[in-house]
Amino acid sequence: MELSSIKILIVDDDEADRQDLANVLQRRIPGLIVEPAEGYEEAILKITASKYDCVLIDFRLQGKDGLELLREIRTHKGYEFCALIVITGQGSEEVAVEAMKGSAHDYLLKDQILEPRLIQSIETACTKAKLAEHQHLQLETRKNFAALAAHELNTPLTTLSGFLQMIELKLEGAPPDIQSYIELAIKNVNYMNTLVGSLLSYAQTGESNETIRLVALDHALGSALDLVRREILETQAQVSYSVLPMVYGRQNELIQLFRNLIGNAIRYRSAEPLKIEIHSVIERDVWHISVSDNGIGIPSKMRTQVFEPLQRAHTTGTSGHGLGLAISAKIVQSLGGRIWCEEAAEGHGCKFVFTLPVVEEKPVIKYNTPFSSIIR
Ligand SMILES: Nc1ncnc2c1ncn2[C@@H]1O[C@H](COP(=O)(O)OP(=O)(O)OP(=O)(O)O)[C@@H](O)[C@H]1O
Ligand SMILES: [Mg+2]
């Protein structure tokens, strides 16, 4: 990376040290802009007023801890990815760990700073900072693009749908084939509308602003069941579940995960009375949560593919975009888990299993306990 055009702030309450560093840097990198700050307050004033590419921070600032400054800088707009390097008089593992936890790119020992090591450290930190910022921008652009594309597509689709419905109203007495063409056109526009919504939801899954926190899977399941209650009643599905654990996740996404899996169990049911079972078991340090049904099942060769976007194993007789499982996989993966599909019983049904890390203490789960609830 070209260092001659960058701007560096050196925060050190020792004037001699500050000056030494500035001299070295200006000698080694002609054109480089170096500015000093003699303490916490001055550093904050300067980063608020100006944009620096790299900040070198003394670990021990008078009265304040350099790490506090490090963390404070990270919270300032424009400094989320800035190259930050901690310089310390006393090298210890503890200082290094603390510096890295505070998201410093590197830490250097004051009395052992060799010029090439210093330049290399600044160069590496600036390169990493630029890369992280670039990746963040790309992600934001992708998210914005998906939202923009969905919005841009939705507007004309809504207009189209409105005009088609007006035409339909005026078609009374028209030849039946004309009426059926319009009906087909309306059906397709409605399909596109829901497809755009699902694609947007797929693009945004795992990237929501909702923070990851402890979620009771029992509650997430309960909310998902509320959302599909009508379908459960219509199909007279029997849903049973055992105790579910607390896990780390985003509440809304975990509700959606259950909703997708239970919705599928209902949609891909067989002629038999539908039974859906939700269980959790602990295996080493992960929870295995399963949603099983006695439906039409998925042919073994399609059981991996169905987690890819727009992939469907059954296309006749059921509607769908082939995105529910892709969204579910993104949700589980964003929480450090895996998801897969097995046969529920010899020759029929599906058992979807997803894993999530165990949170601290393991609640006592009695296997084969009577189900805590039956919904009819
Ligand atoms: N419980 C199930 N039983 C049988 N087949 C299933 C089951 N769940 C999913 N599938 C198969 O996997 C495919 C992908 O499922 P997915 O939920 O991703 O999409 P979809 O249900 O077709 O549409 P949508 O995007 O509306 O959810 C389905 O089309 C279906 O063929
Ligand atoms: Mg589905």
Side-chain angles (χ1 to χ4, degrees), residues 264 267-268 293 298 306 311-314 320-325:
N264 280 347
R267 185 181 275 172
Y268 304 104
D293 61 57
I298 299 180
V306 286
Q311 293 293 327
R312 306 195 69 215
H314 313 94
H321 301 125
L323 283 167
L325 288 179

Side-chain angles (χ1 to χ4, degrees), residues 197-337:
S198 297
L199 282 170
L200 179 62
S201 154
Y202 173 69
Q204 292 179 333
T205 299
E207 286 162 12
S208 85
N209 294 333
E210 194 186 336
T211 42
I212 293 185
R213 58 185 174 79
L214 265 185
V215 175
L217 272 186
D218 280 328
H219 289 174
L221 174 63
S223 305
L225 288 172
D226 282 343
L227 295 171
V228 291
R229 192 161 292 275
R230 190 174 53 84
E231 290 96 314
I232 290 177
L233 291 172
E234 276 170 12
T235 54
Q236 298 192 319
Q238 194 183 30
V239 183
S240 34
Y241 51 93
S242 52
V243 184
L244 297 181
M246 301 284 292
V247 294
Y248 276 111
R250 298 181 188 88
Q251 169 104 354
N252 287 331
E253 290 191 348
L254 290 169
I255 294 172
Q256 176 161 27
L257 173 61
F258 278 123
R259 189 201 168 147
N260 290 350
L261 298 179
I262 295 167
N264 280 347
I266 296 172
R267 185 181 275 172
Y268 304 104
R269 63 191 181 277
S270 67
E272 279 179 45
L274 176 57
K275 284 189 182 150
I276 304 172
E277 291 184 4
I278 299 111
H279 287 294
S280 65
V281 290
I282 200 164
E283 284 199 11
R284 270 171 258 125
D285 50 358
V286 286
W287 283 108
H288 285 221
I289 318 289
S290 61
V291 178
S292 319
D293 61 57
N294 59 344
I296 57 178
I298 299 180
S300 57
K301 62 177 190 315
M302 287 292 293
R303 279 186 210 138
T304 309
Q305 223 168 305
V306 286
F307 293 97
E308 298 293 326
L310 306 173
Q311 293 293 327
R312 306 195 69 215
H314 313 94
T315 44
T316 45
T318 57
S319 61
H321 301 125
L323 283 167
L325 288 179
I327 290 173
S328 306
K330 264 181 107 178
I331 293 172
V332 173
Q333 283 155 10
S334 76
L335 300 174

Side-chain angles (χ1 to χ4, degrees), residues 12-27:
D12 196 327
D13 47 15
D14 185 316
E15 194 184 343
D17 284 353
R18 223 167 45 221
Q19 202 50 55
D20 279 355
L21 261 180
N23 290 343
V24 169
L25 289 172
Q26 274 165 334
R27 196 178 61 243

Side-chain angles (χ1 to χ4, degrees), residues 99-137:
M100 294 312 175
K101 269 206 247 161
S103 74
H105 285 94
D106 200 0
Y107 103 104
L108 303 170
L109 288 179
K110 249 187 194 179
D111 51 357
Q112 292 173 17
I113 302 182
L114 297 172
E115 289 181 22
R117 169 81 175 91
L118 174 67
I119 305 300
Q120 186 215 356
S121 173
I122 294 175
E123 194 166 4
T124 309
C126 287
T127 307
K128 281 186 182 165
K130 278 266 164 297
L131 194 68
E133 187 167 14
H134 179 68
Q135 283 171 342
H136 175 75
L137 283 175

